[in-house]
Structure formats: structure tokens, C-alpha cells
Amino acid sequence: MTAVFDPGAAATRATDAILHDTLHGTARGVVVDSPPGAGKSTLVVRAALELAEAGRPLMVVAQTNAQVDDLVLRLAEKNPELPVGRLHSSDADPYDKALDDLPNVRKSAKAGDLTGLSVVISTAAKWGHVKVDEPWRHAIVDEAYQMRSDSLLAVAGLFERALFVGDPGQLDPFAIVGSEQWAGLSYDPSASAVTTLLAHNPELPQHRLPVSWRLPASAAPLVSDAFYPYTPFRSGTGHDDRRLAFAVPSDGSGPDRVIDEAAEAGWGLLELPARHTPRTDPEAVRAVATVVRRFLDRGGAATSERSPDPAPLTADRIAVGTAHRDQAAAVRAALAELGVTDVTVDTANRLQGREYDVTVVLHPLSGRPDATAFHLETGRLCVLASRHRHACIVVCRAGVSELLDDYPSTEPVQLGTVVKFPDGWEANHAVLARLAEHRVTWRP
Amino acid sequence: MSLIATLARMEAVSTGRAQPAATVRHRRLSDRPLVFVPLTTAGEAGAPLGALVGTDRDAPHLLVVPQPRDRELRFAFLSELADVVLPYIDTYADDVEAAERGETDPETGKRVKVEVELCADAPQLIVPSRAGVDFVRLLGRSMRFRRTAEQDPETPYPAPPRVPLLGRWLTHFGERARVPGSSLLLAMTDVLARHWATGQSTLEDQHLGALLAWIDPPPLSTSLERGDPQSASTGAEAALRAELARDRDGQLLCPPAGPATDPAFDNKLLAPAIERYDRARTALAAAEDGLEADDRLGDLTAAEREIRALVESRTRPTWDAVWRGLDLLRSRLPEAGQHVEERWTRDRWSFTGHRDRVLAGEPPQPRRDDAVTAANKLAAREREQARLEAQEALDDPLVMAGRRLAGEAFAGEVTEVVMAYSEGKRPSPRPLVTVRTDDRPHLGERAKVFRSLGGKPQAAEFVGYEKAPEDAPDDGSALVVLRVLDKMGRGKEPEEGSVPEKDDLICFTLFEHEQRGGAKLPDPEQTPWTHGGPPGEQVPEAADALTQEDVL
């Protein structure tokens, strides 16, 4: 008899163990690895509430203002009575206006105004300027894998112990100048906060959330195999739980065929003829915009475990992901020409942590003559390929696998650094091989 | 690579000549730089073979290690190098001016101004290529932990007196060279490639001879003399020849800029010469009487002279090329002005700071940075990089054109200014300015933009695009509406000249002009548990251990 995998029970077990270590453990830190959509934010909110309710005030460190505001809103939603402090910068419009409607959230640019509150939340950059006489007893560091080691160095003096939560598969933090000089040092300032933390404290308990609630059953195995080969995870839903249907049938064009393929299989590759192009490849950009337009025109409806009735696939449930900002700008312009508004178009960096029903991705290597470390970075592809609940369509020029073979990775190996698996080359091949099964070739 | 850099390179390919990548010089060039052209021995890390060094282009000092594996001879070389470099550095150490520096008062903990010395000028080291910068760093590392007989009478192989000090200085120059925009130690290829775009790869740009050929191809008359009027017609061909052409003996006509030498030179010329030198030395040691010794000393001197000639023949072309590069930079590009001066002032602070540490008898720079120092350095360099990129664009319309093409800036004509005020008890001016631009900036909702107003950044915020009037011809331009936010004085009415006027030509950037300071990091003795805790009591670094081979 084989045991039936119960995703709900597995996730609960993991969460309970994490909360136990956080509330009752003796270690100064607890590290939690979370694959895409595994309920990381839910965990952070729950841990914060349980600490606060146990009378242990805490500070929360997130990486961006959007993440901070999102956490404040979630906390207030779960417990509107909880006194929460939102520490913000002194710039204009430093926080989401929605926070003004929450009676128990106090906002200030000075940490001193927020003393005594159960939870105080801010960005790592802002915490870096805060001085305290007495450190906080507890902290939660969110998106810790996206935080740089030097940024942790600036705030680590503020707390005694902390829960570090993050996704190791997403984009690594980066520096805009060379940092090879410190490669291999345990406290390399350009490494991720978790790398440094674990190098100095290898005995800390490490946990993993085992179930992705976001990724559909069609996507979880690929994302898990390609980007998390040694820490596999499962999808929380089965193949029949999610469906995408359209009111308008296909007109037989490339975009419509790839939409149908993706609705059926969860993945679709719209392959344009091979060609070297500038970054803002006009044909590929137009193809991306056309696919989005057709998604909307064909009256899509998404059925999922969340509700028995299909939910209409509206513009706000669709996102376009690119590698570069100028590509995102070009796609936005192309969408505007087609009369599409309200579809999120952003780079991988900015899409981190976000979730949509459908994503359309311009492949980072499409049309390129070379494969640089930037374009090969595992995290970039992982973010782009793991934002969707139903389907992901990749638009790409033919010839990327040949390009990959022409550019094996040549980065110098630095002594003492932890080699990250898989490398971008391997991950890109794995994803392409899978996408090739759902290929629709199209000459616009 | 930015789009404009790609375009410039394509243009260089099609015209066969390098294209300007800047209209002004973005690096400080000293009036009296010390040029250093080192050569290293193949297969031996940090074993110098020789160098040309000096401040007089017509009279360089030739330093040679006839047997690079002999550490006595290496020390003699380093000692001679110290005799050239240290006096040069010293000439800048004594000429000081009074300056102020903010410091934290140890008693009150308050920030106070302290009167300190600042060197009026700083030395500048110029090497041919980026590999030369690495070699300076390597030499610094190999010397700064040696002990002199005075420091440690027990040491079996004491270094000559000034060698460890030279090591500390070269380390400082090498470390400073990692700061974007600094000019204490420059690689000629980097400076040239910053100002001109060639039709070859950036890797090939590290060949000084080829790079100069693209920028300044030999005149037609030279090729006519060679009886080959076609060959030197373009920089591209001249560059290819500089890279590959060999004489009848298989030697490169334009030796590589080093410090690595060409294998054909190593095998055919250098190795036999060193062998002759070794034989002559062995023979001299085995001489049985004075007469024989005199004879054999003659042989040894001759063998040494031969190696010196070889080293000079390989370094002199590079030496001349470096000076030619300096001529080109000085004659064709005026210095960018205040921003370059400002960055040079920070170089002077850096130089003064190290001078003071040496004078105070502090130990040499540690082998590895501690966690706090590393993080501080990284933050400072990132700040400098962002500052450099902004300043270069503000100093140079061609660089700004690149940023405009990338959607990071836009220029245009003011078509309308409407006065408006902020809400609140004391309304402040917030005029709305409409700019017509042909650029395509990536303006997000309420994006902040900046323009330079009397050298200070003035901020505005993107309000939206205005529809062009119906009768206006569609020329692809856009009307951008901005709300000016600051630098208009304290009054209700903006100060004169602080708000753009109709028909003004202005340029806004999406990037900030000045950099904010980063987070304050803890003192090294306060290093938190996440980073290994405090490093503990500072112990002086041990001298490098004696090893059979050079292990650094």
C-alpha cells in the first residue's frame, strides 16, 4: 500500500515545527526555505501574530516597501486589534495609502515613535539607520535570500534572535561593482544574508515548506526539478483542480494555438523564427502583446480549488515578465497600442513574490547572440516560470538551445564559495526541453 | 553593453576607425604621472622580469632581473623600484593644505569639524593595461609582509629596507584602483576604451597597440614608406597587424603590453639568454683565481647586458605607447571640469590618509578585510559607481545621449509653464512644466526626475503625457508634464530663475545626481553573531612564511 500524499497535512507539519522552533527553540536563528507560492507570507504573518500574542514584541525586516505594506495589510486582516508600527522613510508617499484606513497601525519615520508596539515593520534599508539602546528580543527577516550580507550586517545588532524566511531559488542579490575580492570569505558582503548566516552558524535549525499552493500540478514538477533539484516540493493541487476555458474558440493563429496548448498543458512555447535582434525585439514584443490581447478577447475563465464557479480571467490576473526594463517598457507600449491596460508588465526582479493566473514571458535569451551570466542566472528564469496559478506562455526566438551550447558557463571558479546548483545553463536546458513539448511555431 | 556603445562599435567597424565615446576627458591626468611598464616571468606568479619606470618619457629607468627565480636578484629589483617610486610619492606627501574633516568626538560622541592636512596633489601611477593593475596589486601583496633586518634581525632572508614600504604603497594604489572613477592608478587601455569605441571586442581592447591603432592609425606616409599603401588605410587593419604581425624570426612587431610576455619571445630569445647568464654565473663561482674570475665576470656582465637589452626591446614600445595614449587624451579631449576635480580630491584624501597611516607607524594592510571593512568598501564603491555614472552623463552630452537613448533621461523644449501650489497651510510653489521631447523615457507613475540647476539637482515629478493639439503634425514627439518640487526658495513665489521658462531647452534624468549615504555599519568590535561576532584582539599579521615556491 502506498501512502497518499496529503499536501495539507505535510504543510501543517512543517509549519508547526517552524513555529515550535521559533517560539520555544533555543537557537538564535531559524531558517526557512520556501519554494514559490508555498505560503511564505502566510507563515511570516502567523509567526508574527503568535509571537505578539505571546507578549513578545518583534521587529520585521522586509526588502521593499511594497513587501512591508503587504505584510502590514495581512497582519491587520488577521488581527485588526494588534498594534502595528510601520516605520517608513521621510520621502514623499513613503507607504501605501491603504494603511491610513487601519486604526491600529501607527506610521512614523522615527523608530522612537513606535516603541511599545507589538510589531514594528520596515525595510532593511530603513532599519539600517535605526539605533536602539536595547535590542529587540525577536525579529523576522522576510525574503532573506534576496537580502545582501552587508545589509544584514547593518541590522543584525538590532535583534537577539530571528526567523529567516526566503526562497533560495529566486534572484540572488547583486552588487553593481565587482566583489571578487571577497569571494570565498564567509562574510562576503555581496553574498546573500542566509549564506553568511549559515556559514557562521551552521548549527541553526533549517526547515523547508514542502508544498506549493500557487503552482499547478503541471508546473510544480518542472520548477522543482529544474530549480530545486535537491529540495523537491509538490503542488498542493491535482491535475483536475485547475482549468482554463475560453468562450471564444481559437481562430487558428499562432497566439490562439499557443493559448489553447497552455490552457491544456499548463505550458506553451510560442516560437518565432531564429534571428539576432536588439533587446526590444519588435516582433517578439508584438507577439507577447498579441497573446495577452487574445487571452482577454477570448473570454477566459479560470476554475480552481478556491471556488466552484469559474472566475473570469481579467487583465489584473495576467502578468508579462521580461529580463530588462526596456523590454518591459516596450511591451507596455505595444499593449497600449492594442488597447490593453491594467496588465502588469515588469522585470523578473519586480515580479518576485507576486502571483497571477496566467503569465506571458519574453524568454531572457530570445534573439540574443550571446548568453551572459545575467541572462543565464537561474533565479531570473525561476521567477519568470513560477508566477502563475494556471498557465505560463513563453515567447522566444528559435535557436536558444544552440546558443546555450555555444556558451557554456565560463565564470571563474572561486575558492571557498558554495557552488550553487543547478547552474543557469543546466536549468535553462531543463526548462527548454520541457517547453519544446508544447511548442507552437509562428511566423508573425 | 548599452545601445549607443553598440552603435558606436558598429560605426567603428564600418569606418575602420574608433569612434568617440565621450566629448570630454572623464579621468584626471596628472602633469607628472609615473609610468610603470612591468614584465613578468611566465609560469612564476609574482616573479618580475623587468620594468621601465619613470616620469620622464625620454629617460625611463630600466630595471631587470636577469634570473627571475633568484630571490636575491628579485629583492635587488624591488629595491631599485622602491628607489624610483618612493621618492616620487614623497614629493607629494609634503606639500599640504589645511582642510576640515568631520569626526566623531570620542568624549562627547558628537560630530565635530577637525582641522587636518590634505595633500595639495597626489601621485599618479599609469600602467599599460588592466593586467598591469593586477600586477601592481600582486607586487604589493608580495612585499608588504616581508621583514627587513631592522624589523626582525632573525629573519633568514631580510628584505631591503624600503621594500615592505613599497609593498604597502602599491597595495594602496591597487586597492584604490577598484574604486570607480578614481585616478591614483590607471590602466591606459581602460582610460582609452572609456573615451573611444573601437570595432573590436572589449577583450581585444586590452591590447594597447591594437587599441591605439584603432584610435590613431599610422599616417598614410608611413605605410607608403613601407611600400604598401593599402595596408594601413584603416585602424582596423593596423590593429590586426599590431596584434599579429611578426618579423622573420617569428617575433611580434608590437610586443604585448604585458606584464605577460609573448611565448615566442620567451622560448626563442629569453630562455637562451637566461641560460647563458646562468652558465656564466656558475662559471664565475667556479673560477679558481683572480684572473680567471675577471674574465668570467666579463662574460657574466655581457650575458646580463643581453637580457637587459631584451627586456628593454619589449618594454620600450609599450612605454612609448603609454605616452602616446597620454598625448591623445590630453590633446583631443579637454578635462571634464569640476566633477573630475571633485573625484581627484577624494583621491587626494585617500592618498593623504594612507600617508598618515604610514607615518603613524600602523601595520601594513591586513591580508583579508574583516566583515565590517569589506561591507564598508563595497558600499562606498557602489556609491562611487552610481555617482560616476551620473556625473559622466551630466558632464558630457554624448554620454547623456546614451542615457537618453536608453530611456533614462530626456531632453526637450519647454512649451508651457503653469503656476500651481501645494495644498496645506503654507502653500508652496509646485509649477507644472510641459516639455516637448523626441526621447522615449521610461516614466512610471509619479516617477521622480532631476535636472541640474546651477550644479545642484532640482527634482520634479512626472504627472502625465499631454495630448498634442489636433492640428499639430505627428512628428513622434511627446509632451511630458512635470511638477517641479524643490529648489524654488522658501517664499510663496519661486525664486528668480528657479523655474524653467517657455522655450527653455532642458534635460531631465530619471537617475539621481547625488548619492545618499548608506546605513551606518557597526564598529568591527561590534560585529554581530550573524557575521561571526567580533574579530577579537587585533594581532599584528605575521610575515609571509618562507616557502620553496611563491605562494601568496
Side-chain angles (χ1 to χ4, degrees):
Chain A
M1 200 185 101
T2 45
V4 178
F5 178 73
D6 179 352
T12 308
R13 269 199 307 277
T15 312
D16 288 348
I18 294 161
L19 290 173
H20 182 268
D21 275 349
T22 307
L23 274 97
H24 312 293
T26 51
R28 293 195 78 173
V30 176
V31 178
V32 178
D33 289 4
S34 164
K40 179 164 56 65
S41 306
T42 314
L43 172 72
V44 169
V45 168
R46 226 182 116 185
L49 287 176
E50 295 208 1
L51 281 168
E53 279 155 15
R56 292 146 82 168
L58 74 152
M59 60 179 277
V60 180
V61 184
Q63 306 312 312
T64 66
N65 279 307
Q67 288 165 2
V68 172
D69 291 335
D70 187 50
L71 282 174
V72 174
L73 290 169
R74 279 164 179 265
L75 275 171
E77 191 189 329
K78 284 278 177 203
N79 183 355
E81 308 300 316
L82 186 76
V84 175
R86 164 66 163 107
L87 180 63
H88 59 75
S89 74
S90 35
D91 293 345
D93 299 319
Y95 58 86
D96 189 340
K97 284 277 171 282
L99 268 51
D100 287 335
D101 301 334
L102 305 173
N104 285 314
V105 174
R106 198 188 301 167
K107 293 141 308 225
S108 175
K110 290 198 192 91
D113 296 345
L114 304 174
T115 41
L117 298 181
S118 299
V119 185
V120 180
I121 310 186
S122 192
T123 58
K126 178 68 186 176
W127 279 122
H129 291 279
V130 171
K131 281 198 191 79
V132 287
D133 299 327
E134 179 122 346
W136 301 79
R137 281 178 56 207
H138 283 276
I140 296 179
V141 180
D142 194 11
E143 300 288 3
Y145 283 93
Q146 273 69 61
M147 184 182 197
R148 237 167 52 178
S149 168
D150 55 350
S151 176
L152 177 63
L153 177 62
V155 302
L158 297 176
F159 53 80
E160 284 173 1
R161 40 190 301 167
L163 169 66
F164 296 85
V165 185
D167 180 352
Q170 297 207 12
L171 283 162
D172 286 333
F174 63 94
I176 60 167
V177 295
S179 55
E180 305 78 22
Q181 174 179 16
W182 303 292
L185 291 182
S186 54
Y187 44 73
D188 175 356
S190 67
S192 95
V194 181
T195 308
T196 295
L197 174 77
L198 290 177
H200 290 286
N201 305 276
E203 75 290 349
L204 296 184
Q206 296 175 50
H207 295 273
R208 189 154 51 83
L209 294 175
V211 177
S212 172
W213 300 103
R214 173 194 307 148
L215 291 175
S218 57
L222 170 60
V223 174
S224 175
D225 290 350
F227 302 107
Y228 303 83
Y230 303 117
T231 51
F233 62 88
R234 305 274 296 258
S235 165
T237 52
H239 278 284
D240 302 327
D241 292 336
R242 304 241 173 111
R243 270 197 319 282
L244 207 53
F246 298 97
V248 180
S250 162
D251 63 6
S253 67
D256 270 19
R257 279 186 290 137
V258 82
I259 286 173
D260 286 342
E261 178 68 33
E264 183 62 33
W267 296 102
L269 171 64
L270 185 62
E271 192 176 75
L272 308 182
R275 193 172 170 192
H276 287 163
T277 65
R279 242 160 45 182
T280 50
D281 179 358
E283 272 184 1
V285 163
R286 228 169 6 248
V288 169
T290 312
V291 170
V292 173
R293 177 78 255 183
R294 289 301 296 167
F295 259 121
L296 294 170
D297 287 351
R298 290 182 59 191
T303 313
S304 78
E305 72 287 359
R306 282 187 183 164
S307 78
D309 300 321
L313 181 63
T314 47
D316 61 325
R317 298 303 304 152
I318 303 180
V320 176
T322 64
H324 293 281
R325 284 164 66 179
D326 52 358
Q327 294 171 328
V331 173
R332 266 184 227 119
L335 283 172
E337 264 174 43
L338 294 178
V340 178
T341 49
D342 301 329
V343 166
T344 306
V345 184
D346 243 320
T347 55
N349 297 52
R350 287 158 187 247
L351 287 176
Q352 295 192 90
R354 315 262 286 275
E355 177 177 300
Y356 300 89
D357 281 340
V358 166
T359 55
V360 183
V361 173
L362 180 57
H363 197 286
L365 292 168
S366 174
R368 287 194 67 85
D370 61 351
T372 67
F374 174 88
H375 300 95
L376 279 178
E377 189 179 340
T378 334
R380 185 157 281 102
L381 191 62
C382 179
V383 170
L384 293 173
S386 62
R387 299 301 99 202
H388 62 284
R389 285 175 53 82
H390 285 270
C392 172
I393 291 179
V394 177
V395 175
C396 187
R397 296 240 167 226
V400 169
S401 14
E402 290 78 9
L403 173 70
L404 284 170
D405 287 345
D406 288 344
Y407 282 86
S409 95
T410 53
E411 294 296 299
V413 176
Q414 306 277 7
L415 295 181
T417 54
V418 179
V419 178
K420 220 186 147 187
F421 280 102
D423 71 349
W425 193 83
E426 183 66 40
N428 263 288
H429 264 309
V431 171
L432 274 176
R434 175 65 196 270
L435 284 175
E437 297 167 17
H438 308 289
R439 171 165 40 199
V440 170
T441 51
W442 186 47
R443 187 175 290 274
Chain B
M1 198 159 55
S2 66
L3 189 54
I4 203 165
T6 310
L7 289 173
R9 281 180 180 274
M10 283 162 66
E11 217 173 295
V13 170
S14 68
T15 57
R17 286 188 80 119
Q19 299 297 310
T23 60
V24 288
R25 177 153 48 77
H26 294 284
R27 296 292 179 275
R28 167 77 185 217
L29 290 182
S30 160
D31 297 333
R32 211 175 133 256
L34 183 81
V35 175
F36 178 43
V37 180
L39 287 187
T40 184
T41 312
E44 292 272 314
L49 167 66
L52 279 182
V53 57
T55 53
D56 182 349
R57 72 190 298 168
D58 299 317
H61 299 268
L62 173 66
L63 313 178
V64 177
V65 191
Q67 171 44 276
R69 291 192 183 87
D70 184 325
R71 294 185 193 181
E72 298 283 328
L73 294 176
R74 189 183 307 168
F75 269 149
F77 164 88
L78 295 173
S79 178
E80 281 178 76
L81 186 63
D83 288 341
V84 180
V85 177
L86 292 178
Y88 169 73
I89 290 174
D90 285 342
T91 54
Y92 292 92
D94 300 333
D95 186 7
V96 293
E97 58 190 39
E100 279 185 340
R101 190 169 60 196
E103 271 181 18
T104 310
D105 189 309
E107 276 169 31
T108 61
K110 282 192 190 140
R111 296 290 287 175
V112 286
K113 290 261 186 233
V114 188
E115 185 113 327
V116 289
E117 284 184 347
L118 172 62
C119 292
D121 201 359
Q124 182 175 52
L125 231 65
I126 295 184
V127 292
S129 64
R130 209 177 298 155
V133 173
D134 291 336
F135 193 68
V136 166
R137 216 171 272 140
L138 187 67
L139 283 180
R141 172 65 185 81
S142 75
M143 285 187 275
R144 72 179 193 269
F145 296 115
R146 299 288 177 209
R147 295 279 199 268
T148 60
E150 196 185 328
Q151 288 167 323
D152 178 6
E154 302 291 299
T155 187
Y157 300 100
R162 311 236 288 165
V163 162
L165 181 61
L166 178 65
R168 296 175 62 175
W169 273 111
L170 293 191
T171 300
H172 185 74
F173 278 93
E175 198 63 3
R176 182 70 193 168
R178 287 181 158 133
V179 177
S182 72
S183 298
L184 274 195
L185 167 60
L186 290 174
M188 183 47 73
T189 49
D190 281 346
V191 184
L192 290 172
R194 171 65 199 88
H195 296 89
W196 283 278
T198 66
Q200 59 188 2
S201 73
T202 48
L203 187 70
E204 289 166 305
D205 278 349
Q206 286 301 313
H207 191 297
L208 183 57
L211 183 57
L212 280 170
W214 274 99
I215 296 169
D216 188 29
L220 206 56
S221 56
T222 339
S223 27
L224 281 173
E225 274 167 34
R226 291 205 189 113
D228 185 6
Q230 300 298 318
S231 73
S233 52
T234 70
E237 284 150 7
L240 195 65
R241 222 183 30 242
E243 225 177 294
L244 298 176
R246 291 178 183 270
D247 64 13
R248 263 171 304 171
D249 303 326
Q251 296 299 320
L252 284 169
L253 292 178
C254 172
T261 43
D262 177 38
F265 166 74
D266 288 348
N267 293 328
K268 297 232 177 80
L269 303 178
L270 185 63
I274 291 181
E275 219 164 280
R276 277 192 290 280
Y277 173 84
D278 283 345
R279 267 203 307 276
R281 213 152 63 135
T282 321
L284 175 62
E288 280 169 2
D289 55 54
L291 207 58
E292 200 176 18
D294 268 359
D295 248 10
R296 293 184 181 178
L297 186 61
D299 291 347
L300 183 66
T301 316
E304 188 179 337
R305 213 179 293 130
E306 193 191 347
I307 296 176
R308 289 181 69 85
L310 280 176
V311 170
E312 182 170 26
S313 73
R314 290 309 178 272
T315 45
R316 189 64 197 230
T318 308
W319 170 270
D320 291 334
V322 172
W323 288 99
R324 214 176 112 218
L326 286 171
D327 288 344
L328 285 172
L329 287 163
R330 285 200 183 110
S331 63
R332 294 203 190 166
L333 296 166
E335 193 174 277
Q338 203 198 334
H339 284 147
V340 172
E341 196 60 45
E342 234 177 78
R343 296 198 291 270
W344 180 247
T345 305
R346 284 197 290 279
D347 280 330
R348 283 161 53 203
W349 278 111
S350 152
F351 169 70
T352 313
H354 193 248
R355 176 201 75 152
D356 294 345
R357 282 189 290 278
V358 169
L359 285 179
E362 286 186 26
Q365 301 93 327
R367 288 182 173 83
R368 287 183 194 88
D369 292 328
D370 60 58
V372 174
T373 307
N376 273 326
K377 277 186 183 174
L378 180 62
R381 287 176 202 169
E382 288 198 295
R383 248 190 333 270
E384 288 296 329
Q385 178 66 38
R387 173 147 54 190
L388 178 67
E389 282 172 14
Q391 291 184 341
E392 287 189 346
L394 293 171
D395 286 344
D396 189 337
L398 187 53
V399 179
M400 187 62 94
R403 304 300 291 265
R404 286 165 58 192
L405 200 57
E408 296 167 339
F410 61 97
E413 186 189 338
V414 177
T415 59
E416 198 183 6
V417 181
V418 179
M419 214 38 220
Y421 293 89
S422 64
E423 291 165 15
K425 263 184 252 157
R426 278 190 56 222
S428 324
R430 292 284 181 269
L432 290 168
V433 176
T434 309
V435 181
R436 183 205 306 282
T437 179
D438 296 328
D439 299 332
R440 291 273 173 275
H442 301 318
L443 288 164
E445 203 184 332
R446 302 192 68 183
K448 275 247 190 120
V449 296
F450 307 88
R451 70 156 180 159
S452 179
L453 181 66
K456 291 262 184 284
Q458 181 178 45
E461 126 189 316
F462 173 58
V463 179
Y465 289 105
E466 193 177 296
K467 271 223 155 58
E470 291 282 324
D471 53 335
D474 184 15
D475 54 359
S477 68
L479 290 171
V480 180
V481 184
L482 305 168
R483 181 181 293 121
V484 182
L485 297 176
D486 60 7
K487 297 283 186 302
M488 289 173 288
R490 290 164 170 272
K492 188 170 182 298
E493 293 311 311
E495 278 171 13
E496 177 114 7
S498 65
V499 177
E501 287 174 25
K502 190 168 181 313
D503 300 333
D504 278 0
L505 294 176
I506 53 177
C507 179
F508 279 96
T509 68
L510 276 67
F511 51 87
E512 298 201 30
H513 298 182
E514 284 167 6
Q515 293 304 308
R516 310 182 196 196
K520 172 92 174 65
L521 293 178
D523 291 329
E525 51 272 22
Q526 303 285 325
T527 306
W529 59 279
T530 52
H531 287 64
E537 189 72 18
Q538 284 284 326
V539 283
E541 295 243 13
D544 279 330
L546 272 174
T547 46
Q548 207 57 43
E549 290 184 29
D550 293 304
V551 186
L552 292 177

